Amino acid sequence: MDEREFLIAELLRFKKEHNRIPGQKDLCASNGYPSFHRYYKVFGSLHIIKETFYTQEYKNKKKTEKRDYLISEIQRYYKENGRVPTQSDFNPNNGYPSYRTVSDCFESWNEALVLSGYETNRNYNRDKEYLINELLRFEEEFGRIPTQRDMGAKNGYPDDSKYYKVFGSFLNALKVASFKNKVKYWDWSPYLTEEFLIKELLRFERENGRLPLPEDMTNQNGYPSSNAYIKFFSSWLNALKEAPFKNRIDEYFFSFENMNLKKWYIVGYFIGDGSIRGNCTSVSTNKKDKDNLIDMYNHMNIQTKISIHKYEQGWHDRYDINVCSTQWKSDLAKYGVVPNKTGHEYIPLDYLKTPEEEAAICRGIFDADGMISYKKTDKYKPKFNVVSAGKQLCENYAYLLKENCDLDINVGRHSGIFHITTSGFERCQKIYDFLYGHDNFHIKRKKERFEKLLNGTFSLENDNY
């Protein structure tokens, strides 16, 4: 049995023993199962759980349950309001599911009403002439041909599901309409060449201010399908590489074979202050440490699709870097930077080959989640501290300090947060020499306080921490 088969067998064992599907928190050695990190390492994500358990039978059961729930919500609206709901009535702000949720679950909004036991609303029985006139009205008002996303009651137009019901598809309706704008963007076949497809990628970037994702490129959105790019360029990524974007991503920036000390620092910083949402990786900092964020940004390549964004958080200004890349997400997952990582952080010891690499990632974590403070009652004796919601990260950090500084530091816990703490000139000097023994990024205020505390020049008056 290879490792893939073993890990799947362990998922099935959990289901048999607990009569439920395992979640990420269930997969750990303390529970008697392989760590979820092993699943990330072998499969690249935890999607194997869905592939193992979410069969078609399960999906059909869930869909039936969802339809029953939506029907009960329509009936609840009728009881509470004394009338049949319209699409605009179904809005989370009104305490009901979105009308889009209903339309996605049924063939149409009217089908949901009929199955709920009510007559359909005449205002939504659209014939061909009316629907075509609505498309032409959109063109008249906005000067362009509508896309599928433009349709819907919230925008004052029929829902796109009506077009599917009457014409078979939204594109068929567009072909019937006699638009003044003669650009037939829904019929790409005569134009499909590599040159044309590249121009469409650049048009997306120009119109949206970012690089496209595969799901952006659809006929309904007014662009060639992403499948066309795979056909012409063998893969979506190859197509992106061919396009001369103004905003370019170094997709393999975090690939293991390309790692260096500065990249390990960035990984450490991401472990502490980074987050993954969807395919986007982001990291933020405050105004004091903005310069360090900009240094990292420049190292990532100033031509990449990275933005430094300033926003207000209470009375503080925050700055963040945001990068959308499936390759970044995949590579960072190998190093422990995964979605919902809080409480599960760790240092990827298996990937660190030299003491300098260990120091680089530790410096990044220290700058993100560490502090150098002092004891006022003992002539400003320095005190080193790193905190984390994940116990394993603190244990890994303490292990590296033992290996490189010959320091024994226990992992403590306070108010649900784990920490490693040590103090004293000699011990903190060893840590300083380890962290700052090579050239790399650093937060200026932390390094300066560290040095002043160690050389005896620290005072409250000259402290810029």
Side-chain angles (χ1 to χ4, degrees), residues 133-146:
N133 286 337
E134 288 296 280
L135 294 176
L136 298 176
R137 178 168 71 88
F138 183 96
E139 184 194 28
E140 189 69 27
E141 291 181 358
F142 295 95
R144 63 177 175 85
I145 298 174

Side-chain angles (χ1 to χ4, degrees), residues 301-438:
N301 183 356
I302 198 69
Q303 301 299 323
T304 58
K305 187 186 72 68
I306 301 173
S307 62
I308 293 187
H309 175 64
K310 175 183 176 182
Y311 61 97
E312 293 184 1
Q313 186 183 60
W315 63 89
H316 297 293
D317 287 339
R318 300 287 297 178
Y319 297 80
D320 75 325
I321 293 175
N322 189 63
V323 185
C324 292
S325 167
T326 55
Q327 189 64 45
W328 278 38
K329 178 183 178 181
S330 175
D331 288 334
L332 287 170
K334 301 173 184 176
Y335 312 136
V337 184
V338 296
N340 305 314
K341 64 179 175 59
T342 302
H344 304 284
E345 299 93 337
Y346 66 95
I347 298 176
L349 300 177
D350 292 342
Y351 288 93
L352 305 174
K353 304 304 181 184
T354 67
E356 289 76 15
E357 290 178 351
E358 294 171 348
I361 200 169
C362 283
R363 194 199 297 193
I365 294 171
F366 171 69
D367 278 350
D369 283 335
M371 174 181 286
I372 182 68
S373 57
Y374 53 86
K375 294 184 177 181
K376 293 182 181 179
T377 57
D378 198 359
K379 297 182 180 180
Y380 298 124
K381 183 166 70 173
K383 180 181 178 182
F384 176 86
N385 180 267
V386 170
V387 301
S388 175
K391 182 179 180 181
Q392 186 176 353
L393 184 142
C394 288
E395 290 176 343
N396 294 156
Y397 207 106
Y399 167 78
L400 291 179
L401 292 182
K402 171 63 177 176
E403 290 294 305
N404 292 279
C405 305
D406 194 26
L407 296 176
D408 290 311
I409 304 176
N410 295 322
V411 176
R413 187 177 186 183
H414 179 70
S415 301
I417 300 298
F418 296 95
H419 65 89
I420 57 171
T421 304
T422 189
S423 61
F425 290 95
E426 183 178 348
R427 295 172 70 84
C428 288
Q429 183 68 58
K430 290 182 178 181
I431 296 175
Y432 175 88
D433 293 340
F434 168 60
L435 293 180
Y436 297 102
H438 69 281

Side-chain angles (χ1 to χ4, degrees), residues 35-51:
S35 166
F36 73 90
H37 298 301
R38 290 182 64 182
Y39 287 88
Y40 273 100
K41 186 175 181 179
V42 174
F43 296 102
S45 71
L46 292 180
H47 285 172
I48 187 62
I49 296 178
K50 290 186 177 181
E51 295 175 7

Side-chain angles (χ1 to χ4, degrees), residues 254 265-277 280-285 293 296 300 318 320-322 332 336-343 345 364-365 367-369 393:
F254 286 111
Y265 172 93
I266 295 173
V267 168
Y269 202 93
F270 277 19
I271 290 173
D273 275 347
S275 64
I276 305 286
R277 292 186 179 181
C280 293
T281 305
S282 63
V283 64
S284 65
T285 190
L293 191 73
M296 289 191 288
M300 291 176 191
R318 300 287 297 178
D320 75 325
I321 293 175
N322 189 63
L332 287 170
V337 184
V338 296
N340 305 314
K341 64 179 175 59
T342 302
E345 299 93 337
I365 294 171
D367 278 350
D369 283 335
L393 184 142

Side-chain angles (χ1 to χ4, degrees), residues 1-11 34 38-39:
M1 179 184 295
D2 65 16
E3 187 168 16
R4 294 172 67 91
E5 294 174 341
F6 167 74
L7 292 175
I8 293 174
E10 288 297 281
L11 295 176
R38 290 182 64 182
Y39 287 88

Side-chain angles (χ1 to χ4, degrees), residues 75-176:
Q75 293 170 341
R76 178 169 71 88
Y77 184 95
Y78 185 86
K79 292 178 182 179
E80 294 177 351
N81 298 276
R83 64 177 176 84
V84 177
T86 65
Q87 291 181 0
S88 58
D89 293 322
F90 260 51
N91 187 312
N93 294 332
N94 297 335
Y96 298 94
S98 164
Y99 80 91
R100 172 63 68 182
T101 301
V102 178
S103 297
D104 289 344
C105 200
F106 297 88
E107 290 295 327
S108 66
W109 173 261
N110 282 346
E111 183 199 34
L113 294 181
V114 171
L115 292 176
S116 300
Y118 305 116
E119 293 184 2
T120 59
N121 191 326
R122 287 187 178 183
N123 291 332
Y124 289 90
N125 290 326
R126 313 296 192 185
D127 57 15
K128 287 185 178 181
E129 183 179 358
Y130 177 81
L131 291 172
I132 292 299
N133 286 337
E134 288 296 280
L135 294 176
L136 298 176
R137 178 168 71 88
F138 183 96
E139 184 194 28
E140 189 69 27
E141 291 181 358
F142 295 95
R144 63 177 175 85
I145 298 174
T147 67
Q148 191 168 334
R149 291 182 179 180
D150 295 320
M151 297 293 101
K154 64 179 181 179
N155 294 331
Y157 294 94
D159 190 76
D160 60 353
S161 64
K162 305 301 178 184
Y163 291 91
Y164 277 89
K165 184 175 182 179
V166 174
F167 296 96
S169 73
F170 188 72
L171 298 183
N172 288 340
L174 294 180
K175 293 177 181 180
V176 173

